[in-house]
Amino acid sequence: MASRRKSRELALQMLFQWEVGKHSPAHVVATFLKPKEVDAPENTFARELFLGTVDQVSALDPLLSRHASNWRLERMAAVDRNLIRLALFEILHHPQTAPAVIINEALEIARRFSGEESAQFVNGVLDAIRKSKPSPGAETNMKPQTAAKSSHGRKQSNRSGKSRKK
């Protein structure tokens, strides 16, 4: 799972560079993926997530805007906006990965790159979208905190040692 998170983090960094730096997707890929490692599994997945998100941004942004109550896209932090775009793309185009896993990864990445308030914002938007788009029989797989349980059935704790709220 660590390589998937690494791929998602790399894809987020590329999205940020694409949007904020106003670079072409090809330039961003060439900048971030070292030629010798371009076919490494995490780089392949990162490239797929990045290019897919860029390709679908015009379809993702209206969905994001609709569920980010009182927030215009341009007012959102660039990291948060791109992280939500990335998670939405993966939820919509990678059904083999449970939405709960994707959302929980997005929350961990938000905490790492932005902060706890950003993680709460990202969770709120992604959860609102998840609730508005349930697929038959997948509702239990889509609860964001489902993936937060360890193999022993206990909740993981956040950095402060407190249990996460559902």
Side-chain angles (χ1 to χ4, degrees), residues 99-116:
V101 172
I102 297 167
I103 292 171
N104 281 329
E105 286 282 325
L107 300 180
E108 291 301 318
I109 293 168
R111 286 183 187 98
R112 179 165 181 229
F113 286 96
S114 232
E116 189 60 38

mmCIF file of all heavy atoms in Angstrom, residues 99-116:
data_model
loop_
_atom_site.group_PDB
_atom_site.id
_atom_site.type_symbol
_atom_site.label_atom_id
_atom_site.label_comp_id
_atom_site.label_asym_id
_atom_site.label_seq_id
_atom_site.Cartn_x
_atom_site.Cartn_y
_atom_site.Cartn_z
ATOM 1 N N PRO A 99 -13.679 3.092 -2.489
ATOM 2 C CA PRO A 99 -13.664 4.529 -2.232
ATOM 3 C C PRO A 99 -13.183 4.887 -0.824
ATOM 4 O O PRO A 99 -12.522 5.904 -0.634
ATOM 5 C CB PRO A 99 -15.122 4.952 -2.450
ATOM 6 C CG PRO A 99 -15.606 3.972 -3.470
ATOM 7 C CD PRO A 99 -14.949 2.666 -3.082
ATOM 8 N N ALA A 100 -13.481 4.057 0.161
ATOM 9 C CA ALA A 100 -13.021 4.319 1.526
ATOM 10 C C ALA A 100 -11.501 4.383 1.587
ATOM 11 O O ALA A 100 -10.928 5.218 2.287
ATOM 12 C CB ALA A 100 -13.537 3.244 2.478
ATOM 13 N N VAL A 101 -10.840 3.511 0.857
ATOM 14 C CA VAL A 101 -9.378 3.489 0.825
ATOM 15 C C VAL A 101 -8.860 4.771 0.176
ATOM 16 O O VAL A 101 -7.931 5.412 0.681
ATOM 17 C CB VAL A 101 -8.863 2.244 0.070
ATOM 18 C CG1 VAL A 101 -7.357 2.317 -0.147
ATOM 19 C CG2 VAL A 101 -9.245 0.975 0.827
ATOM 20 N N ILE A 102 -9.467 5.155 -0.927
ATOM 21 C CA ILE A 102 -9.043 6.365 -1.637
ATOM 22 C C ILE A 102 -9.245 7.593 -0.758
ATOM 23 O O ILE A 102 -8.350 8.448 -0.659
ATOM 24 C CB ILE A 102 -9.823 6.499 -2.967
ATOM 25 C CG1 ILE A 102 -9.492 5.329 -3.893
ATOM 26 C CG2 ILE A 102 -9.524 7.840 -3.639
ATOM 27 C CD1 ILE A 102 -10.427 5.179 -5.086
ATOM 28 N N ILE A 103 -10.391 7.679 -0.100
ATOM 29 C CA ILE A 103 -10.669 8.835 0.762
ATOM 30 C C ILE A 103 -9.707 8.874 1.935
ATOM 31 O O ILE A 103 -9.153 9.921 2.270
ATOM 32 C CB ILE A 103 -12.140 8.828 1.225
ATOM 33 C CG1 ILE A 103 -13.062 9.082 0.025
ATOM 34 C CG2 ILE A 103 -12.370 9.868 2.320
ATOM 35 C CD1 ILE A 103 -14.546 8.883 0.311
ATOM 36 N N ASN A 104 -9.465 7.736 2.571
ATOM 37 C CA ASN A 104 -8.537 7.714 3.710
ATOM 38 C C ASN A 104 -7.121 8.087 3.288
ATOM 39 O O ASN A 104 -6.410 8.794 4.009
ATOM 40 C CB ASN A 104 -8.562 6.365 4.411
ATOM 41 C CG ASN A 104 -9.771 6.237 5.310
ATOM 42 O OD1 ASN A 104 -10.252 7.208 5.861
ATOM 43 N ND2 ASN A 104 -10.272 5.030 5.441
ATOM 44 N N GLU A 105 -6.699 7.630 2.121
ATOM 45 C CA GLU A 105 -5.378 8.023 1.600
ATOM 46 C C GLU A 105 -5.344 9.529 1.365
ATOM 47 O O GLU A 105 -4.351 10.189 1.676
ATOM 48 C CB GLU A 105 -5.061 7.276 0.303
ATOM 49 C CG GLU A 105 -4.713 5.825 0.502
ATOM 50 C CD GLU A 105 -3.297 5.607 0.996
ATOM 51 O OE1 GLU A 105 -2.394 6.370 0.608
ATOM 52 O OE2 GLU A 105 -3.098 4.660 1.765
ATOM 53 N N ALA A 106 -6.426 10.074 0.802
ATOM 54 C CA ALA A 106 -6.491 11.523 0.562
ATOM 55 C C ALA A 106 -6.382 12.296 1.874
ATOM 56 O O ALA A 106 -5.704 13.323 1.941
ATOM 57 C CB ALA A 106 -7.784 11.885 -0.172
ATOM 58 N N LEU A 107 -7.004 11.790 2.923
ATOM 59 C CA LEU A 107 -6.937 12.454 4.227
ATOM 60 C C LEU A 107 -5.519 12.432 4.789
ATOM 61 O O LEU A 107 -5.037 13.430 5.329
ATOM 62 C CB LEU A 107 -7.906 11.803 5.215
ATOM 63 C CG LEU A 107 -9.380 11.835 4.821
ATOM 64 C CD1 LEU A 107 -10.236 11.160 5.881
ATOM 65 C CD2 LEU A 107 -9.851 13.240 4.549
ATOM 66 N N GLU A 108 -4.853 11.295 4.671
ATOM 67 C CA GLU A 108 -3.471 11.204 5.147
ATOM 68 C C GLU A 108 -2.558 12.144 4.358
ATOM 69 O O GLU A 108 -1.682 12.798 4.932
ATOM 70 C CB GLU A 108 -2.962 9.760 5.059
ATOM 71 C CG GLU A 108 -3.626 8.813 6.033
ATOM 72 C CD GLU A 108 -3.458 9.230 7.489
ATOM 73 O OE1 GLU A 108 -2.349 9.651 7.882
ATOM 74 O OE2 GLU A 108 -4.455 9.158 8.238
ATOM 75 N N ILE A 109 -2.762 12.219 3.059
ATOM 76 C CA ILE A 109 -1.954 13.102 2.220
ATOM 77 C C ILE A 109 -2.259 14.559 2.563
ATOM 78 O O ILE A 109 -1.343 15.389 2.638
ATOM 79 C CB ILE A 109 -2.179 12.796 0.725
ATOM 80 C CG1 ILE A 109 -1.624 11.398 0.404
ATOM 81 C CG2 ILE A 109 -1.526 13.858 -0.154
ATOM 82 C CD1 ILE A 109 -2.038 10.867 -0.969
ATOM 83 N N ALA A 110 -3.526 14.883 2.811
ATOM 84 C CA ALA A 110 -3.891 16.249 3.201
ATOM 85 C C ALA A 110 -3.212 16.637 4.504
ATOM 86 O O ALA A 110 -2.690 17.753 4.638
ATOM 87 C CB ALA A 110 -5.407 16.385 3.330
ATOM 88 N N ARG A 111 -3.189 15.725 5.467
ATOM 89 C CA ARG A 111 -2.519 16.012 6.741
ATOM 90 C C ARG A 111 -1.029 16.250 6.531
ATOM 91 O O ARG A 111 -0.434 17.113 7.177
ATOM 92 C CB ARG A 111 -2.723 14.863 7.720
ATOM 93 C CG ARG A 111 -4.106 14.798 8.295
ATOM 94 C CD ARG A 111 -4.253 13.664 9.327
ATOM 95 N NE ARG A 111 -5.631 13.546 9.730
ATOM 96 C CZ ARG A 111 -6.484 12.652 9.228
ATOM 97 N NH1 ARG A 111 -6.080 11.755 8.341
ATOM 98 N NH2 ARG A 111 -7.740 12.621 9.628
ATOM 99 N N ARG A 112 -0.451 15.494 5.630
ATOM 100 C CA ARG A 112 0.997 15.608 5.390
ATOM 101 C C ARG A 112 1.357 16.889 4.638
ATOM 102 O O ARG A 112 2.320 17.563 4.967
ATOM 103 C CB ARG A 112 1.491 14.401 4.607
ATOM 104 C CG ARG A 112 2.965 14.480 4.325
ATOM 105 C CD ARG A 112 3.554 13.167 3.880
ATOM 106 N NE ARG A 112 4.979 13.376 3.671
ATOM 107 C CZ ARG A 112 5.611 12.999 2.605
ATOM 108 N NH1 ARG A 112 5.000 12.359 1.652
ATOM 109 N NH2 ARG A 112 6.898 13.231 2.488
ATOM 110 N N PHE A 113 0.580 17.222 3.610
ATOM 111 C CA PHE A 113 0.927 18.345 2.751
ATOM 112 C C PHE A 113 0.230 19.652 3.122
ATOM 113 O O PHE A 113 0.632 20.709 2.665
ATOM 114 C CB PHE A 113 0.617 18.015 1.278
ATOM 115 C CG PHE A 113 1.592 17.063 0.672
ATOM 116 C CD1 PHE A 113 1.321 15.711 0.615
ATOM 117 C CD2 PHE A 113 2.799 17.515 0.159
ATOM 118 C CE1 PHE A 113 2.228 14.814 0.054
ATOM 119 C CE2 PHE A 113 3.712 16.626 -0.399
ATOM 120 C CZ PHE A 113 3.421 15.277 -0.447
ATOM 121 N N SER A 114 -0.828 19.575 3.934
ATOM 122 C CA SER A 114 -1.590 20.777 4.243
ATOM 123 C C SER A 114 -1.799 20.931 5.746
ATOM 124 O O SER A 114 -1.290 21.853 6.342
ATOM 125 C CB SER A 114 -2.935 20.726 3.519
ATOM 126 O OG SER A 114 -3.169 21.876 2.779
ATOM 127 N N GLY A 115 -2.586 20.092 6.348
ATOM 128 C CA GLY A 115 -2.844 20.187 7.780
ATOM 129 C C GLY A 115 -4.177 19.569 8.140
ATOM 130 O O GLY A 115 -4.934 19.126 7.278
ATOM 131 N N GLU A 116 -4.479 19.538 9.428
ATOM 132 C CA GLU A 116 -5.688 18.892 9.919
ATOM 133 C C GLU A 116 -6.947 19.569 9.404
ATOM 134 O O GLU A 116 -7.915 18.908 9.047
ATOM 135 C CB GLU A 116 -5.690 18.846 11.452
ATOM 136 C CG GLU A 116 -6.801 17.998 12.035
ATOM 137 C CD GLU A 116 -6.754 16.533 11.591
ATOM 138 O OE1 GLU A 116 -5.657 15.958 11.472
ATOM 139 O OE2 GLU A 116 -7.834 15.959 11.350
#
